[in-house]
Amino acid sequence: MVTAFFDLSARAKLRVTGADRIRFLNGQTTNDVRRAGAEATQESCVLNAKGHLDAHLFLFATPNDIWIDADQELRERLQARLERYVIADDVTIEDATDQFTLFQVLGEPKPKISGAKFCVCSRRLGIDGWDIWVESAGAEKTRSILAADYRAMDESEWEVLRIENGIPRWGRELTPEIIPPEANLAARAIDYEKGCYIGQEVISRMKMSGQTNKRLCGVVSLDDVPLLQPMKLAAHSPAEREVGWITSATRSERTGKQIALGYLKRGFNSPGTKLDAFSAENSAERIPVEVVPVPFL
């Protein structure tokens, strides 16, 4: 079990209040906000009418508020996107990004941090973890407390662990061109029984068909040659047909392999499929890869 902590303070943070907050957000997100509580985060997505991603987020609910965090790139965009649909609703959406510091602690049991505003179970990397929200004024004190019991994890370590566990990230695997099931988010971030929300018809049709045009997969370099984002992926047959692209890549010391996440078209994303990776600048130099299940570990 990893026992470390990572600073997620740059992420956008929103506080949603008002008597209609649960009903309103339930009509905007893919998961069932009515089931959200203060014990664990709920992973969810905000979509446009075509089912494509407007945002990927985590939220939890306290008695009078719903707290949301999302990638820092979405700080202004997510608030504006939600407020666009507040018409006659008793809902207020407040930017709380600068008010709070957010740490993720990986491991068990629940950390005991004096002065924390919230300590919520959150599996951001597909493994047990805890989100700790602290008023920004107490950030350094909390960081020192955490450092006494946990190893501080830097950005590169977090990225390796994320890729090893097959977790998509906004700006890499998650973009406005992607529909959530394509990124393997169905089990974690979609409730198919909750009822209507923006983009719900597209998601329901995809579930009924059981098919996606593309799927987020893992690939491994067969010759241990480094893989890079944004390399393309091509099939051997039909000859050199482009069938996907790499979104994130790293060297995994725990698997002893060069690994990557990427999207592959239907018919080419089954584990065991052999492909070639290549860069747009040098399409003649091919790196043999194999499609593997995620997580890699």
Side-chain angles (χ1 to χ4, degrees), residues 24 77 116 142 175 203 219 221 225 227 240 253 257 277 296:
F24 170 76
R77 190 189 314 174
T142 301
T175 69
I203 301 298
V219 295
S221 173
V225 178
L227 302 172
E240 299 188 358
E253 297 301 332
K257 298 176 181 178
F296 290 91

Side-chain angles (χ1 to χ4, degrees), residues 20-288:
D20 297 328
R21 65 190 181 280
I22 295 175
R23 179 188 57 77
F24 170 76
L25 283 176
N26 215 41
Q28 303 296 320
T29 59
T30 57
N31 218 329
D32 193 341
V33 181
R34 295 169 298 184
R35 298 178 181 272
E39 297 77 26
T41 60
Q42 181 182 92
E43 189 172 358
S44 195
C45 301
V46 176
L47 311 179
N48 64 20
K50 295 182 179 181
H52 289 226
L53 282 165
D54 278 343
H56 171 257
L57 56 85
F58 292 85
L59 65 81
F60 63 95
T62 54
N64 299 309
D65 312 280
I66 296 175
W67 300 86
I68 295 173
D69 74 88
D71 188 89
Q72 63 191 89
E73 181 184 323
L74 296 170
R75 180 172 180 177
E76 295 181 3
R77 190 189 314 174
L78 177 56
Q79 184 172 359
R81 159 64 177 78
L82 293 174
E83 288 179 338
R84 188 186 317 151
Y85 291 91
V86 178
I87 302 176
D89 307 280
D90 180 6
V91 173
T92 300
I93 303 170
E94 170 192 354
D95 186 336
T97 303
D98 297 331
Q99 184 181 350
F100 291 97
T101 298
L102 173 59
F103 296 101
Q104 161 92 163
V105 174
L106 300 175
E108 292 186 352
K110 181 178 182 178
K112 297 179 180 179
I113 307 297
S114 61
K117 177 76 172 180
F118 308 112
C119 184
V120 188
C121 180
S122 186
R123 293 175 56 87
R124 291 177 182 269
L125 294 179
I127 56 179
D128 292 331
W130 302 87
D131 284 355
I132 298 176
W133 291 56
V134 182
E135 295 280 355
S136 294
E140 289 306 317
K141 179 180 179 181
T142 301
R143 187 177 286 106
S144 297
I145 293 172
L146 288 171
D149 295 320
Y150 303 92
R151 180 177 58 83
M153 180 180 290
D154 62 26
E155 176 72 29
S156 62
E157 291 178 285
W158 177 272
E159 189 70 355
V160 170
L161 193 57
R162 178 186 73 81
I163 296 170
E164 287 176 336
N165 284 286
I167 303 299
R169 171 183 174 182
W170 187 263
R172 293 291 187 89
E173 293 73 32
L174 304 179
T175 69
E177 289 74 42
I178 298 300
I179 300 174
E182 296 175 336
N184 303 325
L185 290 175
R188 303 199 309 269
I190 298 175
D191 188 313
Y192 288 100
E193 307 298 328
K194 62 171 282 187
C196 295
Y197 57 86
I198 296 172
Q200 182 259 345
E201 291 184 5
V202 175
I203 301 298
S204 294
R205 285 200 301 269
M206 187 174 287
K207 182 176 187 294
M208 290 175 62
S209 71
Q211 295 182 332
T212 59
N213 292 328
K214 57 185 175 293
R215 177 75 68 174
L216 183 64
C217 301
V219 295
V220 172
S221 173
L222 294 178
D223 293 339
D224 204 33
V225 178
L227 302 172
L228 302 173
Q229 183 274 341
M231 281 182 168
K232 305 294 186 181
L233 295 165
H236 295 158
S237 178
E240 299 188 358
R241 175 185 173 186
E242 188 176 311
V243 296
W245 65 97
I246 288 175
T247 53
S248 298
T250 191
R251 169 74 182 180
S252 169
E253 297 301 332
R254 290 197 286 176
T255 64
K257 298 176 181 178
Q258 302 283 349
I259 63 174
L261 297 175
Y263 282 99
L264 286 164
K265 294 179 181 178
R266 184 170 47 193
F268 299 91
N269 53 29
S270 299
T273 302
K274 301 294 195 302
L275 303 168
D276 288 330
F278 64 94
S279 66
E281 295 76 17
N282 187 4
S283 60
E285 184 176 338
R286 301 296 175 110
I287 302 171

